[in-house]
Amino acid sequence: MKRIALFPGSFDPFTKGHEDIVLRGLTLFDEIIVAIGFNSSKSVRYFEIEFMIDRINTTFKDYPNIKVATFSELTAEFARRNGARYLLRGLRNTTDFEYENSIAQVNRYLNEELESVFLITSPQFASISSSIIREVHRYQGDVSSFLPYKL
Ligand code: ADP
């Protein structure tokens, strides 16, 4: 059976840290769906969702087994509907761990066939976060070295 993993997130924007998790995830899974969630508490985006879909598709244009999707429902439900048995997430630090731990418990409760899998960030990406990139970009700072595509 094909091992399909969902990599859910806001990806506002998608960063080199995210790219690294996806590419390393390919050693574990046959297919990865990068799933941009919206309509959550973070519903006001900085980068348009269509723009981000386009940039993620460009980033992975040579990988037919990496797909991009959007969703506005429970992650566990979206995973079930797409045949994904794994949720891929990245961990940078203990703050991420605290947050991811509770999400993973809830997702397990909602869909017990869904296994959360965590990859520890590569050190060169450990301090990259979408929120910092948004702040730098807002004030016309150069964020190009944090992104795997051109803005
Ligand atoms: P969310 O809004 O769900 O936290 P994000 O887009 O911020 O979504 O992040 C998606 C996933 O990528 C999360 O698991 C997050 O911890 C992880 N992640 C974010 N930045 C990095 C990074 N630099 N290195 C590794 N993982 C990361």
Side-chain angles (χ1 to χ4, degrees):
M1 204 165 74
K2 209 156 93 165
R3 286 174 173 259
I4 305 175
L6 203 67
F7 182 45
S10 313
F11 307 121
D12 190 20
F14 189 88
T15 71
K16 281 191 178 173
H18 295 131
E19 179 195 31
D20 176 62
I21 297 295
V22 173
L23 294 178
R24 287 165 55 208
L26 276 190
T27 63
L28 303 170
F29 307 111
D30 301 309
E31 182 180 315
I32 295 178
I33 306 170
V34 179
I36 310 176
F38 62 103
N39 276 357
S40 66
S41 49
K42 293 185 189 172
S43 60
V44 181
R45 292 185 64 89
Y46 182 81
F47 291 99
E48 295 265 348
I49 208 152
E50 295 302 330
F51 173 80
M52 206 38 64
I53 293 170
D54 176 77
R55 289 304 186 272
I56 301 170
N57 273 324
T58 305
T59 304
F60 298 124
K61 63 179 182 332
D62 298 328
Y63 296 87
N65 49 350
I66 300 174
K67 311 249 159 73
V68 184
T70 59
F71 70 106
S72 57
E73 62 189 298
L74 285 173
T75 309
E77 194 49 39
F78 186 71
R80 194 200 312 268
R81 288 201 303 108
N82 285 275
R85 304 249 336 261
Y86 306 91
L87 269 189
L88 176 62
R89 299 285 286 178
L91 291 177
R92 285 164 295 189
N93 46 44
T94 53
T95 311
D96 274 356
F97 174 78
E98 297 278 338
Y99 178 62
E100 296 294 338
N101 186 24
S102 24
I103 296 185
Q105 302 299 351
V106 173
N107 282 327
R108 190 184 189 78
Y109 167 77
L110 293 170
N111 175 355
E112 62 184 20
E113 289 173 2
L114 189 60
E115 199 63 76
S116 295
V117 175
F118 303 94
L119 293 183
I120 300 288
T121 184
S122 299
Q124 66 271 37
F125 304 124
S127 52
I128 299 183
S129 75
S130 298
S131 57
I132 291 177
I133 292 175
R134 289 196 298 274
E135 280 311 296
V136 174
H137 188 262
R138 201 188 299 277
Y139 296 103
Q140 285 81 44
D142 178 13
V143 293
S144 56
S145 59
F146 305 123
L147 305 176
Y149 47 82
K150 285 200 171 36
L151 279 179

